[in-house]
Amino acid sequence: MSDGQRLFVGGRWVEPDGGHYPVTDPATEETVGRAPEASPAQVREACAAAREALGAWSRTRPEERAAVLGRAADIIRGRLVEYAELARAETGATTGTARAMQVGVAAARFRRYAAVEPAEWAIAPQINEAGPMGRAGVMGALAIRQPVGVVACVTSYNNPWANPAGKVAPALAMGNTVVVKPAPQDPLSVYRMAEALQAAGVPPGVVNVVSGRDVAVGEAAVGSDDVDMVSFTGSTAVGRRIAEVCGRGMKRQLMELGGKGAAVVFDDADLASAVAGIGTTFSFYSGQICTAPTRVLAQRGVYDRLVGQLASYAARLTVGDPGAPDTVVGPVISAAHRARVESYVELGRKEGAQVVAGGERPPLDRGFYVAPTLLAGCSNDMRVAREEIFGPVVCVIPFDEEDEGVALANDSDYGLIDYVWSGDVARAFRVARRLRAGGVGINTVGRNMEAPFGGFKRSGVGRDVGSYALHAYSEVQSIVWPG
């Protein structure tokens, strides 16, 4: 174990004022490394460094910025196995997930924004008739996109590679500078990302990383006068507090918050497809993902069969060491989070739900494991059906007619990603259009990484991914001139 990770501020690796704290492997409960605890003053220094670097970086030609991102992608891809092993140890993700969905996706995102074409972010010139204050004839008008400025990127613990990369890469591509505040549970991977960017030639101050367990660290970043925009991924409760600060300072915000995805399964659905899709809640990040279909709405004609097949599916999943090749379900992030998930399962019992799979802690000597759990006989007013559990727990609710299924799906504080399974494609699309969610999957839980991503209601504000991220990290400026 090293002496401890240092902060990355203004292009320098800086000793933290608050010392270091241990990062724990959730599978072994052993220490992975020692993360730095920044002081609020050091966070403000990072924000000031980003402000100082903004002018030169924003004036850099897009092709030069793209070249830096491309080199970073190559470095990350070249160190995939090394980086994935750290990610696996920090998060408890399986080896396959750490390689493909964490580090692999991060490299792909840097590569994608290294290939930005001007047509993706420029707005076509417009010629408009002069208004009553103008001379006769026409005025030329050009709408272009400018960088927002300094972006504070506050990232989630469930994916310390793909999530920060999805913020940093498009922000840098558009000429912004960034201060990244990673989740305290797994920040070491984000520092490896900073190393890759530094090696790729990112100028001092363009990328800064500060971490800490104290809430004052994040508060200092969000509240800094040098920060123009906050991009946050995390819980709705924290997002609301951040939004209040952004509102007082009139700061731009991009919020990817909680989810309670509804999976509407009709009588004519392909059950094998539905079970496989819904079953990802048990395995993918052990349910610690906001897009998971955790609230299953099953039409009466298929309800019993769906519950039975989901229970069998959950019981077959191998829970254990995420480094083992046959493991499907790893641990959750911490002992505290395991206790929280288990408390929801117990709450479901008290509310009258039937535990048809899981419900007990797996018989493992160490690690923060939760058995894949299926709660049947639920109603939409139960807390287990309304609140984000963020673990491998699925609840099933019956419905009769299409209108009832849609009403139940929409009866939620959240609206991130919903799902529809039906053999009638016309009905599936009709229902999808009625769902109050930022995205809808039809007969799949897959995502198109160029499609806009974001939520309705308390699931967030704004859209990113693909070209939509370029819009999110830029401001529109209009320039007019005499025709």
Side-chain angles (χ1 to χ4, degrees):
M1 185 170 57
S2 67
D3 291 336
Q5 174 65 52
R6 290 180 292 174
L7 306 168
F8 189 56
V9 177
R12 297 184 300 112
W13 295 96
V14 180
E15 289 295 331
D17 289 344
H20 295 84
Y21 65 90
V23 175
T24 302
D25 184 333
T28 65
E29 303 184 42
E30 296 175 354
T31 297
V32 175
R34 298 172 66 233
E37 182 76 38
S39 66
Q42 288 181 308
V43 177
R44 290 189 288 270
E45 289 172 10
C47 297
R51 172 63 60 190
E52 184 177 353
L54 176 62
W57 179 250
S58 65
R59 291 190 297 271
T60 301
R61 292 188 306 115
E63 295 84 357
E64 294 179 30
R65 299 197 296 263
V68 171
L69 298 179
R71 289 193 294 271
D74 291 341
I75 291 169
I76 294 168
R77 175 62 64 183
R79 299 175 183 172
L80 186 146
V81 174
E82 169 194 345
Y83 288 162
E85 179 57 26
L86 175 60
R88 185 209 58 73
E90 281 194 291
T91 66
T94 63
T95 297
T97 295
R99 290 184 181 182
M101 302 306 297
Q102 295 190 352
V103 183
V105 169
R109 285 181 166 171
F110 277 105
R111 175 59 58 195
R112 188 260 181 265
Y113 293 108
V116 168
E117 296 291 335
E120 286 191 300
W121 55 267
I123 299 175
Q126 305 167 37
I127 300 298
N128 303 314
E129 293 293 333
M133 300 299 292
R135 62 177 173 78
V138 297
M139 293 287 287
L142 176 66
I144 61 175
R145 289 194 175 273
Q146 298 278 22
V148 178
V150 176
V151 182
C153 302
V154 185
T155 65
S156 59
Y157 71 72
N158 59 347
N159 197 325
W161 278 96
N163 185 258
K167 300 177 186 297
V168 172
L172 296 185
M174 290 305 298
N176 303 282
T177 57
V178 299
V179 177
V180 186
K181 193 280 175 186
Q185 296 93 333
D186 50 11
L188 301 177
S189 289
V190 183
Y191 286 105
R192 300 292 80 75
M193 185 182 297
E195 287 178 353
L197 283 161
Q198 185 182 39
V202 106
V206 171
V207 175
N208 307 268
V209 183
V210 289
S211 60
R213 294 182 295 186
D214 194 324
V215 295
V217 175
E219 289 174 347
V222 171
S224 170
D225 290 337
D226 285 314
V227 168
D228 302 292
M229 173 180 174
V230 177
S231 177
F232 172 71
T233 299
S235 72
T236 296
V238 174
R240 292 174 74 172
R241 295 199 295 271
I242 290 174
E244 290 174 1
V245 175
C246 290
R248 291 195 295 270
M250 298 304 294
K251 298 180 181 182
R252 285 279 299 278
Q253 56 182 291
L254 179 61
M255 297 283 179
E256 182 197 337
L257 307 179
K260 193 69 177 180
V264 185
V265 183
F266 287 97
D267 288 347
D268 61 353
D270 179 339
L271 279 194
S273 171
V275 169
I278 295 164
T280 60
T281 302
F282 302 131
S283 57
F284 194 46
Y285 299 129
S286 300
Q288 298 168 115
I289 183 165
C290 52
T291 59
T294 58
R295 188 168 52 112
V296 177
L297 307 175
Q299 199 165 19
R300 295 279 181 185
V302 77
Y303 175 85
D304 288 337
R305 283 185 293 145
L306 181 61
V307 168
Q309 291 185 31
L310 279 172
S312 297
Y313 184 96
R316 291 195 304 269
L317 298 176
T318 301
V319 181
D321 177 9
D326 60 338
T327 294
V328 179
V329 182
V332 296
I333 194 68
S334 65
H337 190 58
R338 176 179 61 185
R340 179 180 183 274
V341 174
E342 289 176 337
S343 72
Y344 269 106
V345 175
E346 184 58 30
L347 174 63
R349 285 193 177 100
K350 292 178 180 177
E351 289 182 312
Q354 178 187 4
V355 179
V356 294
E360 302 293 337
R361 185 176 297 185
L364 299 168
D365 294 335
R366 58 182 181 173
F368 311 128
Y369 293 95
V370 176
T373 299
L374 182 66
L375 304 177
C378 297
S379 61
N380 209 46
D381 59 353
M382 291 180 177
R383 285 180 59 191
V384 290
R386 303 199 68 81
E387 299 177 12
E388 187 177 37
I389 299 173
F390 220 59
V393 180
V394 171
C395 60
V396 189
I397 301 165
F399 73 93
D400 291 303
E401 301 300 328
E402 178 180 311
D403 286 349
E404 181 189 5
V406 171
L408 287 170
N410 288 335
D411 182 16
S412 173
D413 291 334
Y414 299 105
L416 188 57
I417 305 290
D418 284 346
Y419 305 89
V420 180
W421 268 275
S422 174
D424 183 340
V425 175
R427 174 167 67 176
F429 274 89
R430 180 176 69 243
V431 169
R433 292 290 300 271
R434 297 176 64 191
L435 296 177
R436 296 290 297 164
V440 180
I442 293 179
N443 296 327
T444 183
V445 292
R447 281 177 57 195
N448 182 318
M449 298 308 291
E450 290 299 312
F453 180 74
F456 290 8
K457 298 182 280 188
R458 295 185 184 178
S459 285
V461 176
R463 296 293 182 272
D464 68 355
V465 181
S467 61
Y468 296 89
L470 301 174
H471 297 180
Y473 293 99
S474 61
E475 294 277 19
V476 177
Q477 180 187 57
S478 63
I479 301 175
V480 299
W481 63 92

